[in-house]
């Protein structure tokens, strides 16, 4: 697992209070990890803070799974 | 009934310590007080539940904690104790819809407002948490308790500064009497021990500042040496229930609410009138709604905040209303031990009034070494007194000139 993936996983565990094992790449924040719409807003803010990236609202809406988040952040980092 | 406050968690422990004359006032630990003239407060002690301390992780899932200002967390813990104690757990939809919540707060999530303000000042408005607003809103104490237990009746809140607790309990009792609910979880919560709260009340010249080195002596209602109130934090919650409803399910009944009265001073934003007629009228209305006369009340839990002006004004109002019966009356200020819990004060003091009836004990007014003036009323100086107490009245008065009194009687 990449460094970014590890970090994303850790943030998800901390913010949603879920077990690490549940945070698989396919896991959906809302359907599998018990997040509500406000939780996902906060989660995206935590990603922005941790990775120093900006995630616009329309992009944030498409980040629904752990994998979505990792891919978006890695793309941003590669572009930077 | 449930309490979270400066003398710990749990009604029985809190009451035992209060009757024993222990003080819950200590040096402020949670932030640096070097720039503030007041450096002490009545803080909820950290520790495990078994020790009577607060460890949030024992009560609230970590993920949920950050969605609540501290006042909501304290309300949550007190409500959990109260609801468990009541034994009320409606199993059907009708029961849930007949159960409401009315937990107020004087100020709400002041510490989260402070943090959010700092972000904005630093030009980071986009970093505001989506949970900032629901952490700060006063009625979210009721909202969170309603969600947690599935109580779908009236979901309401009172915000009347330091009279909040009494207004919440009194209004909730009225909602039951009017048929809006069979059961109401009612009370008040406050957690304003932060720079904004201490600094703000210091600016209003309301807090004690000369006893920073001897915190336990700082709250001294009616004493010559008093110089302002000591801020406290905590929550008090009671479960109110329609009498036949409670009887039918064999509920433990501590006491009956028999009277409630309210008034406004229409005078000044922070000071009562010199003759205390606002408080007088609230007490008079409460006794009238109870259908009793002052001589039938054996104990008054005073507002008595330890401010130079307020204490004697309230004393005069009680003396005037009780007349000749003042001689047989006991009146104490438990704020001498807890500090002033602002919007939670009326709620925890309602609980003390109920326990005074249950145990026939008037809790003491600590530090009352030398009253600033004599009175025929026994102010229960320094040591609790065993007394026959069948009816008790509790006062709470708030900024804005708002006054409320509630009257309890021994369970029928």
């Amino acid at each position: 697992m990449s460094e970014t993936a590890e970090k994303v996983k850790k943030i998800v565990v901390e913010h949603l209070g879920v077990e690490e094992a549940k945070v698989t790449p396919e896991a959906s924040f809302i359907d599998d990890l018990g997040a509500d719409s406000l939780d996902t807003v906060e989660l995206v803010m935590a990603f922005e803070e941790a990775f120093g990236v900006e995630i616009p609202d329309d992009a944030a809406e498409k980040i629904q799974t752990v994998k979505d988040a990792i891919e978006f952040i890695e793309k941003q980092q590669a572009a930077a | 009934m449930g309490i979270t406050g400066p003398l710990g968690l749990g009604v029985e422990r809190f009451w035992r310590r209060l009757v024993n004359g222990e003080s819950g006032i200590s040096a402020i630990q949670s932030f640096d007080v070097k720039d503030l003239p007041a450096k002490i407060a009545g803080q909820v002690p950290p520790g495990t539940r078994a020790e009577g301390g607060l460890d949030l992780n024992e009560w609230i899932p970590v993920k949920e904690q950050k969605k609540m200002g501290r006042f909501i967390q304290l309300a949550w813990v007190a409500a959990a104790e109260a609801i468990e104690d009541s034994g009320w757990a409606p199993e059907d939809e009708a029961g849930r819809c007949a159960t409401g919540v009315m937990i107020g707060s004087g100020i709400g999530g002041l510490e989260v407002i402070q943090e959010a303000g700092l972000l904005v000042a630093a030009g980071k408005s986009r970093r505001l948490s989506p949970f900032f607003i629901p952490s700060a809103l006063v009625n979210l104490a009721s909202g969170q308790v309603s969600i947690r237990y599935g109580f779908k009746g009236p979901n309401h809140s009172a915000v009347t500064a330091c009279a909040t607790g009494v207004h919440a309990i009194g209004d909730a009792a009225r909602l039951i009497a009017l048929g809006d609910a069979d059961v109401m979880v009612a009370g008040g919560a406050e957690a304003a021990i932060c720079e904004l709260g201490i600094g703000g009340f210091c600016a209003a010249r309301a807090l004690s500042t000369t006893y920073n080195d001897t915190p336990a002596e700082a709250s001294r209602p009616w004493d010559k040496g008093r110089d302002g109130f000591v801020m406290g934090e905590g929550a008090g919650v009671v479960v109110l229930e329609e009498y036949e409803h409670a009887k039918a399910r064999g509920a433990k009944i501590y006491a009956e609410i028999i009277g409630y009265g309210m008034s406004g001073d229409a005078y000044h934003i922070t000071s009562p009138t010199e003759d205390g007629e606002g408080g007088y009228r609230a007490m008079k209305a409460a006794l009238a709604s109870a259908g009793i006369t002052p001589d039938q009340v054996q104990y008054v839990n005073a507002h008595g905040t330890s401010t130079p002006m307020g204490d004697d004004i309230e004393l005069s109002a009680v003396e005037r209303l009780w007349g000749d019966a003042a001689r047989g009356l006991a009146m104490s200020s438990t704020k001498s031990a807890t500090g002033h819990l602002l919007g939670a004060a009326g709620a925890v003091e309602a609980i003390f009034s109920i326990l005074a009836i249950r145990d026939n004990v008037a809790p003491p007014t600590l530090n009352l070494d030398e009253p600033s003036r004599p009175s025929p009323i026994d102010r229960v100086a320094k040591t609790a007194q065993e007394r026959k107490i069948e009816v008790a009245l509790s006062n709470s008065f708030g900024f804005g000139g708002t006054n409320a009194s509630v009257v309890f009687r021994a369970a029928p």
Side-chain angles (χ1 to χ4, degrees):
Chain A
M1 201 185 288
S2 72
E3 200 183 311
T4 300
E6 283 289 354
K7 213 162 151 186
V8 164
K9 198 168 162 180
K10 198 166 155 255
I11 291 168
V12 172
V13 167
E14 270 170 23
H15 282 261
L16 300 183
V18 289
E19 286 167 35
E20 214 177 312
K22 284 195 176 161
V23 188
T24 60
E26 289 73 31
S28 153
F29 298 125
I30 288 177
D31 296 335
D32 302 316
L33 301 176
D36 62 24
S37 59
L38 293 183
D39 290 322
T40 59
V41 172
E42 202 212 19
L43 201 53
V44 166
M45 285 172 59
F47 293 146
E48 290 183 321
E49 190 95 329
F51 295 100
V53 296
E54 197 154 316
I55 307 178
D57 284 351
D58 53 344
E61 274 167 32
K62 289 183 195 124
I63 298 178
Q64 295 188 356
T65 65
V66 177
K67 199 169 118 202
D68 293 342
I70 296 166
E71 282 177 3
F72 183 87
I73 293 161
E74 284 179 341
K75 215 185 292 169
Q76 292 283 104
Q77 286 171 331
Chain B
M1 306 197 294
I3 287 190
T4 307
L7 289 174
L9 269 64
V11 167
E12 296 303 333
R13 178 192 306 261
F14 203 110
W15 175 240
R16 194 170 61 242
R17 295 185 67 190
L18 189 71
V19 169
N20 284 344
E22 293 181 45
S23 169
I25 313 299
S26 59
I28 290 173
Q29 303 293 342
S30 51
F31 61 93
D32 187 355
V33 290
K34 73 173 188 311
D35 292 335
L36 292 166
K39 303 177 193 304
I40 55 174
Q43 301 155 100
V44 174
T48 65
R49 184 179 186 175
E51 300 161 352
L54 177 62
D55 174 359
L56 283 176
N57 295 339
E58 286 186 290
W59 297 89
I60 310 174
V62 176
K63 181 181 158 225
E64 301 303 318
Q65 289 174 22
K66 65 183 174 205
K67 302 179 183 177
M68 304 175 188
R70 183 167 169 84
F71 81 104
I72 301 175
Q73 297 168 343
L74 299 179
W76 173 292
V77 174
E81 182 190 4
I83 292 164
E84 188 185 333
D85 184 35
S86 77
W88 176 240
E91 279 166 15
D92 58 15
E93 189 68 0
R96 286 189 285 273
C97 290
T99 305
V101 189
M102 170 94 86
I103 301 174
S105 179
I107 307 183
L110 199 58
E111 88 289 3
V112 296
I113 292 173
Q114 176 175 317
E115 285 167 28
L118 289 172
L119 276 179
V120 173
K124 296 182 176 173
S125 305
R126 277 206 64 225
R127 298 248 74 88
L128 286 171
S129 162
F131 305 119
F132 162 53
I133 297 291
S135 294
L137 290 179
V138 164
N139 72 298
L140 260 285
S142 290
Q144 288 280 10
V145 169
S146 154
I147 292 164
R148 182 187 182 195
Y149 293 94
F151 295 155
K152 296 183 172 179
N155 180 349
H156 206 335
S157 190
V159 189
T160 50
C162 306
T164 296
V166 169
H167 277 131
I169 290 173
D171 288 356
R174 293 250 163 112
L175 290 184
I176 292 173
L178 289 168
D180 292 290
D182 290 330
V183 181
M184 288 293 296
V185 178
E190 203 77 78
I193 304 174
C194 61
E195 289 92 328
L196 271 188
I198 299 288
F201 279 101
C202 276
R205 302 290 184 271
L207 296 184
S208 169
T209 56
T210 56
Y211 296 90
N212 287 327
D213 297 329
T214 51
E217 295 172 18
S219 186
R220 38 196 321 117
W222 299 299
D223 186 77
K224 247 182 179 162
R226 70 186 184 271
D227 73 327
F229 77 79
V230 176
M231 196 188 290
E233 63 172 359
V237 174
V238 297
V239 176
L240 306 175
E241 190 166 351
E242 195 274 323
Y243 178 63
E244 294 300 332
H245 190 273
K247 213 170 69 173
R249 71 179 181 93
K252 170 164 65 174
I253 301 175
Y254 284 98
E256 185 182 8
I257 295 190
I258 58 168
Y260 174 44
M262 296 165 275
S263 73
D265 289 344
Y267 173 66
H268 187 266
I269 52 174
T270 60
S271 297
T273 60
E274 273 172 39
D275 58 3
E277 68 93 35
Y280 176 89
R281 282 187 290 111
M283 290 187 274
K284 199 173 171 189
L287 295 178
S289 81
I292 61 171
T293 48
D295 60 295
Q296 291 172 276
V297 178
Q298 294 83 30
Y299 173 68
V300 171
N301 188 296
H303 184 58
T305 59
S306 187
T307 56
M309 263 183 76
D311 293 4
D312 282 345
I313 290 175
E314 181 183 16
L315 180 63
S316 299
V318 175
E319 285 171 349
R320 189 174 135 219
L321 184 56
W322 261 256
D324 291 341
R327 203 156 292 282
L329 183 67
M331 172 163 81
S332 61
S333 171
T334 45
K335 291 188 179 78
S336 58
T338 62
H340 186 356
L341 273 61
L342 310 179
V348 300
E349 288 159 18
I351 293 173
F352 304 150
S353 301
I354 290 164
L355 293 171
I357 292 168
R358 183 192 71 178
D359 293 351
N360 290 300
V361 171
T365 305
L366 304 185
N367 303 311
L368 183 48
D369 294 329
E370 201 183 334
S372 53
R373 72 167 182 77
S375 170
I377 296 170
D378 190 328
R379 282 168 283 176
V380 201
K382 299 172 89 150
T383 314
Q385 294 176 9
E386 280 188 34
R387 282 176 169 257
K388 181 75 198 147
I389 300 174
E390 206 178 336
V391 176
L393 177 145
S394 186
N395 280 334
S396 285
F397 311 139
F399 280 3
T402 176
N403 312 292
S405 304
V406 61
V407 187
F408 298 96
R409 183 168 60 198

